[in-house]
Amino acid sequence: MRRLIPATTALLVSACAIPAAPPSVASKGAADIALTGPSVVLAPDWWTALGDPQLDRLVADALADNPSLDVAAARVRQAQAALARQDAELSPDVALDAQLQGSRLSGNYTIPPPFAGTVRALGTGQAGLSWSLDLFGRQKATIASAAAQARAAAYDLAAARLMLAGAVVQSYAEVARAERRAAIASRTIAARDQSLGLVQVRERNRLASRLDIEAASTLLAQARLALVQAQAARVLATQALAALAGRGSDYAATIGATRLPATNALPVPARLPADLLARRADIAAAQARVLAAAAGRQVARRAFYPNINLSALIGLQAIGFGNFVDLDSGTAGAGAAIHLPLFDAGRRKADLANATAQLDAATASYNQAIVDAAHQAADGIARVRASDIALARQQDVVNGFAETNRLNAVRVQSGLNSRLDLVDNDVRLLDAELAVANLSIDALAARAQLATALGGGFAPVEDLPLPLSAQERRP
């Protein structure tokens, strides 16, 4: 016995030895991607700052009925159910089993007369208890992994809601773009139609030529084409909104005229906010998956330790129904069991290496997510600035063409120019006005994209530690 105890102890220690398999990927932080600007706080319903009640209704309908959100919400419930299942593993398991059957007992076996060789009722009934003590925290690590996965699913849902709201705003901006282009085209049609009438009167009085009529007709046709294109674009944009709301094509008919502001109310930071990472739901989801993978690695590490289970039972066993209800038929038992695999051909080492690789992959995905977030926010800021500058410059172009058009009209009325000389400038003026409408919507859309890139009002997450903590870096 004195020789056996040291040998057994050495065997247990060697079986519990955990191979070195440290993670090889470290997580990035705000300083790594130059996040130094002041905080930009957005309301969770940031689109209401645009002041259009119809837009608020469309976003609410989309958040209530879009099928993609139903999928994300179902994944949250699935993850929560998995967490509840893992959490239940820490509690004792109690079961009640009962059985009654008729059976002929062998006359040449262990059962003595008078039961041997007869047909009897065999009954068993017992209550059993089993409980894994989880002394080394393997199940707790499994629960931690499931909890992190549940949080990641919840953050995915928040990110999906933000992206859906942003898509609704973008599509609604396209409706506004089409309306503004249609208004310009309609105004131009009215002016050019009147101009054509005047040219026709002048031609009948031999004060204008057929070329003047053709020039005026061409300008009118161009304006009518612009109106048709704008009306078609509005139909497509309203149908896109109907799809985002999870409704049929009849929903598009409920979308009236837009009331988006000419100036944009959404904030535009000068630099990337230092707290950008904490304000994005997709970053929080990636961070939670790092924690889930780290906990999964701990599960693989603790598989090298023994499992200790407690069990107990109490019940009745008897031959014959009458004996089954006799208290002397009672049976009971209790005990403990230990399980320690001594040789598994490297399966546990492979599981640990796989879990470590999954942690590295999750950390790399987190790093890529924060790089993408910084890139999206920086692009959003640059796009807003470029749109604002382009809009101001394009307005100068419109003003210039309008003044040239006025001076040309004076010269035509004075007989110094023909109406044919107005064609080129009129075409350019309409194109410039349409470009202003486009750029004004581009500026609005750029602000909406930036609001999405800045997290769209997602609250900072305080309960999650940094990915890949010092404890998880240890081999």
Side-chain angles (χ1 to χ4, degrees), residues 155-388:
Y155 297 147
D156 284 340
L157 176 58
R161 289 175 63 86
L162 172 62
M163 296 303 295
L164 178 60
V168 171
V169 174
Q170 296 285 333
S171 296
Y172 195 71
E174 292 304 314
V175 176
R177 183 197 304 274
E179 290 178 351
R180 294 181 185 183
R181 289 174 63 89
I184 294 171
S186 296
R187 186 171 64 249
T188 305
I189 288 173
R192 292 182 178 179
D193 188 52
Q194 182 181 11
S195 178
L196 176 60
L198 294 175
V199 172
Q200 289 172 339
V201 171
R202 290 172 61 86
E203 193 268 341
R204 287 194 296 269
N205 294 326
R206 300 184 183 278
L207 299 176
S209 67
R210 188 66 185 173
L211 286 176
D212 292 321
I213 292 179
E214 291 297 330
S217 298
T218 300
L219 292 174
L220 180 59
Q222 182 212 17
R224 286 173 175 168
L225 174 61
L227 177 60
V228 170
Q229 292 174 334
Q231 291 171 339
R234 189 183 190 282
V235 171
L236 294 177
T238 54
Q239 289 178 350
L241 285 171
L244 290 172
R247 309 289 183 86
S249 58
D250 58 329
Y251 184 79
T254 68
I255 302 175
T258 61
R259 293 172 52 188
L260 293 177
T263 57
N264 299 293
L266 298 175
V268 180
R271 292 176 297 164
L272 296 180
D275 60 348
L276 173 65
L277 303 184
R279 294 190 176 276
R280 291 199 33 149
D282 57 338
I283 299 297
Q287 183 178 352
R289 288 191 170 91
V290 172
L291 296 176
R297 181 172 177 270
Q298 291 302 313
V299 173
R301 286 176 51 128
R302 287 160 188 171
F304 289 85
Y305 294 102
N307 287 332
I308 300 177
N309 298 322
L310 300 180
S311 61
L313 63 88
I314 184 171
L316 299 170
Q317 292 179 335
I319 300 176
F321 184 76
N323 294 331
F324 184 71
V325 296
D326 190 340
L327 292 180
D328 195 40
S329 300
T331 180
I338 184 171
H339 172 75
L340 178 64
L342 300 179
F343 177 74
D344 61 3
R347 285 190 291 271
R348 285 175 299 164
K349 292 181 180 179
D351 289 343
L352 178 58
N354 179 59
T356 303
Q358 290 179 353
L359 176 56
D360 287 338
T363 304
S365 296
Y366 170 81
N367 291 340
Q368 185 61 55
I370 67 173
V371 170
D372 291 343
H375 176 67
Q376 292 167 7
D379 279 359
I381 294 173
R383 191 177 295 113
V384 168
R385 291 174 179 170
S387 298
D388 290 345

Side-chain angles (χ1 to χ4, degrees), residues 92-108:
D93 186 13
V94 179
L96 177 64
D97 297 294
Q99 181 179 5
L100 180 64
Q101 68 178 29
S103 179
R104 182 186 184 281
L105 305 179
S106 173
N108 300 306

